[in-house]
């Protein structure tokens, strides 16, 4: 039996690389595993040797202690791998395939999957629609920041790369297909971005940068990225975005200086539930509704707001009792009066990942450069989590089995 090592959450601010079980084609009990899933057979699954697995801002929310994630939870939902074992019910995926693993786990059989809404599959999480690897309240599927991971419904879920050598050559771009590139693209699409659009992206973390690069791919005339972190804003400028520092106050004032008007055609929230107010000092304290309310003000009447930023129903570290339940003070009247559209929830990765793969393979987007992707060993994961939490303008890519270095 092969060994396995993985990154696990060990309490607020703490992750460790641990020895853990090699995956099998049956779900076992463990931290975060839904009791109803224990013993579930996975003959339709494969085991992949991880090629790359990325640290995501959503992981960081858990590591900060801002969710109800249990101690010992193996983290990681951004996975690219090489298939090393296939279950008896797998028909089309083969050992040796290099594959992208969508972060949403879906069955391909339920009503939602058949409608293309793979982020809210009805059959993979006994508690609620939707599931993901290594994430709190998402059914307890073991995370992918590990040397090996189990992927269920493999024929349905996996995106096989057409050429192994080409895939490994472009792996730092292709690794973004599991989550942040489709998620950012989904934010741009649902915000209505098209040729000639003016776009404001709130948040210059990796998802915000991916949304900005996606808006450019979709033909936006101007993409403006807002954040308080000057290093991250510089990263946005590195591929042609305009920027505003919301630490200096209301972004509308700065947008007016750039565009001549205080509104944009399309708004994207890539911040989520740990948003802060605009300005300095006390004004920049945590205020989770700030970004959404700001986007309603900034987006033109009849426009749309894409919300790839994460919002949760359980946040023990929130600023008040309402926010701890995910209840925020939104100016919905503003949204109603302006006839704005909103799209929230997990990105249905499979809706976009093949098209985005082709854009990468044919050099239409350089997403690794846009998000400043940096490959590190599995053992350096704790350091990377700390650096990311401190605001590093870097997308950390873990290389558990030495594929990137090779």
């Amino acid at each position: 039996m092969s060994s396995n090592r993985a990154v696990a959450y060990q309490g607020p601010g703490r992750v460790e690389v641990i020895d853990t079980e090699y995956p099998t084609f049956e779900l076992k009990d463990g931290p975060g595993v839904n009791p109803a899933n224990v013993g579930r057979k996975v003959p339709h699954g494969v085991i992949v040797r991880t090629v790359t697995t990325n640290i995501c801002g959503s992981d960081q929310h858990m590591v900060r202690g801002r969710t109800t994630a249990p101690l010992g939870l193996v983290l990681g939902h951004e996975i690219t791998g090489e298939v090393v074992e296939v279950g008896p019910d797998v028909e089309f995926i083969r050992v040796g395939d290099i594959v992208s693993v969508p972060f949403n786990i879906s069955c391909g059989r339920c009503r939602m999957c058949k409608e293309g809404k793979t982020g809210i599959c009805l059959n993979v999480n006994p508690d609620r629609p939707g599931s993901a690897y290594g994430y709190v309240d998402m059914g307890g599927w073991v995370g992918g920041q590990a040397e090996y991971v189990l992927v269920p419904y493999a024929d349905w879920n996996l995106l096989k790369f057409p050429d192994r050598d080409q895939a490994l050559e472009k792996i730092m771009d292709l690794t973004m297909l599991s989550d942040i590139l489709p998620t950012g693209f989904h934010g741009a699409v649902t915000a209505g971005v098209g040729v000639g659009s003016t776009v404001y992206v709130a948040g210059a973390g990796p998802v915000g940068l991916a949304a900005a690069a996606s808006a450019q791919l979709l033909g936006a005339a101007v993409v403006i990225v807002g954040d308080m972190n000057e290093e991250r804003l510089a990263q946005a400028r590195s591929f042609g975005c305009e920027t505003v520092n919301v630490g200096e106050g209301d972004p509308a004032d700065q947008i007016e200086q750039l565009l001549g008007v205080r509104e944009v055609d399309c708004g994207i929230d890539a911040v989520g539930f740990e948003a802060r107010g605009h300005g300095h000092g006390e004004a920049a304290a945590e205020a989770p509704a700030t970004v959404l309310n700001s986007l309603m003000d900034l987006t033109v009447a009849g426009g749309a707001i894409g919300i790839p930023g994460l919002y949760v129903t359980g946040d023990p570290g929130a600023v008040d009792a309402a926010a701890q339940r995910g209840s925020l003070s939104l100016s919905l009247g503003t949204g109603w009066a302006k006839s704005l559209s909103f799209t929230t929830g997990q990105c249905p990765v499979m809706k976009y990942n093949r098209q985005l793969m082709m854009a990468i393979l044919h050099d239409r987007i350089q997403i690794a450069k846009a998000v400043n992707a940096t490959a590190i060993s599995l053992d350096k994961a704790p350091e990377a989590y700390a650096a990311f939490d401190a605001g590093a303008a870097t997308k950390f890519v873990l290389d558990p089995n030495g594929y990137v270095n090779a």
Side-chain angles (χ1 to χ4, degrees):
M1 178 65 68
S2 299
S3 61
N4 196 16
R5 298 167 72 240
V7 180
Y9 170 64
Q10 302 291 13
R14 290 183 55 226
V15 298
E16 293 180 2
V17 179
I18 63 169
D19 293 319
T20 189
E21 291 187 11
Y22 184 85
T24 66
F25 296 105
E26 178 181 328
L27 294 187
K28 299 179 180 178
D29 198 7
V33 177
N34 190 300
N37 266 349
V38 175
R40 186 171 181 168
K41 306 294 184 183
V42 191
H44 42 71
V46 301
I47 295 169
V48 301
R49 181 189 295 119
T50 304
V51 173
T52 52
T53 176
N54 315 327
I55 296 175
C56 181
S58 299
D59 299 320
Q60 199 72 61
H61 291 306
M62 289 188 291
V63 172
R64 289 190 189 117
R66 296 299 298 267
T67 71
T68 55
L71 301 185
L73 180 73
V74 173
L75 301 166
H77 54 272
E78 299 190 13
I79 310 160
T80 306
E82 178 177 8
V83 176
V84 292
E85 293 185 49
V86 299
D89 290 351
V90 176
E91 282 193 82
F92 307 113
I93 295 294
R94 300 282 184 264
V95 170
D97 288 345
I98 304 293
V99 294
S100 179
V101 183
F103 81 88
N104 359 72
I105 303 169
S106 56
C107 70
R109 296 152 166 81
C110 71
R111 171 185 172 180
M112 293 301 154
C113 287
K114 290 181 178 182
E115 292 178 2
K117 301 172 184 175
T118 54
I120 45 175
C121 174
L122 302 176
N123 288 332
V124 287
N125 184 352
D127 284 340
R128 63 179 72 173
S131 190
Y133 303 88
Y135 211 83
V136 59
D137 295 332
M138 287 291 185
W141 299 84
V142 177
Q145 287 174 14
E147 292 172 335
Y148 297 90
V149 63
L150 170 69
V151 176
Y153 304 103
D155 283 325
W156 164 255
N157 278 307
L158 293 178
L159 174 67
K160 176 184 173 181
F161 298 134
D163 181 85
R164 178 189 178 91
D165 292 338
Q166 183 188 36
L168 293 176
E169 180 183 343
K170 290 183 174 286
I171 195 61
M172 292 295 284
D173 291 289
L174 294 171
T175 188
M176 307 304 166
L177 290 173
S178 57
D179 182 357
I180 69 161
L181 181 53
T183 293
F185 192 82
H186 182 61
V189 168
T190 56
V193 178
V195 174
S197 298
T198 57
V199 183
Y200 176 65
V201 181
V207 169
L209 297 173
S214 296
Q216 293 175 336
L217 185 64
L218 289 165
V222 182
V223 180
I224 304 168
V225 179
D227 206 295
M228 297 179 180
N229 183 320
E230 275 296 342
E231 187 182 357
R232 290 182 171 182
L233 291 174
Q235 186 61 33
R237 290 191 293 272
S238 75
F239 60 97
C241 299
E242 301 286 350
T243 60
V244 299
N245 189 325
V246 298
E248 298 175 1
D250 188 347
D253 297 331
Q254 299 173 68
I255 288 171
E256 185 173 23
Q257 293 175 16
L258 291 167
L259 300 179
V261 294
R262 297 174 64 84
E263 291 181 320
V264 294
D265 299 324
C266 312
I268 301 172
D269 174 6
V271 178
F273 73 101
E274 288 192 67
R276 296 184 174 274
H278 300 147
H280 295 289
E282 292 184 6
E286 187 168 316
T290 297
V291 170
L292 291 171
N293 286 330
S294 174
L295 285 169
M296 283 189 270
D297 288 334
L298 290 171
T299 303
V300 69
I305 299 172
I307 310 173
L310 174 69
Y311 289 86
V312 296
T313 56
D315 175 10
V319 293
D320 55 47
Q324 288 176 4
R325 313 189 294 274
S327 188
L328 308 181
S329 297
L330 296 179
S331 180
L332 192 58
T334 301
W336 191 94
K338 294 179 75 173
S339 295
L340 298 175
S341 301
F342 306 83
T343 301
T344 67
Q346 286 187 38
C347 163
V349 170
M350 293 173 67
K351 184 174 182 178
Y352 308 109
N353 63 351
R354 185 188 178 278
Q355 301 95 305
L356 291 170
M357 174 188 75
M358 296 301 290
I360 288 170
L361 294 179
H362 293 278
D363 298 318
R364 302 300 298 168
I365 186 170
Q366 287 76 44
I367 187 62
K369 183 177 180 182
V371 301
N372 192 25
T374 302
I376 60 173
S377 69
L378 191 72
D379 289 318
K380 291 186 178 178
E383 299 168 38
Y385 268 98
F388 192 37
D389 190 50
T394 304
K395 177 67 172 178
F396 288 105
V397 175
L398 303 180
D399 179 22
N401 291 297
Y403 283 85
V404 177
N405 289 331

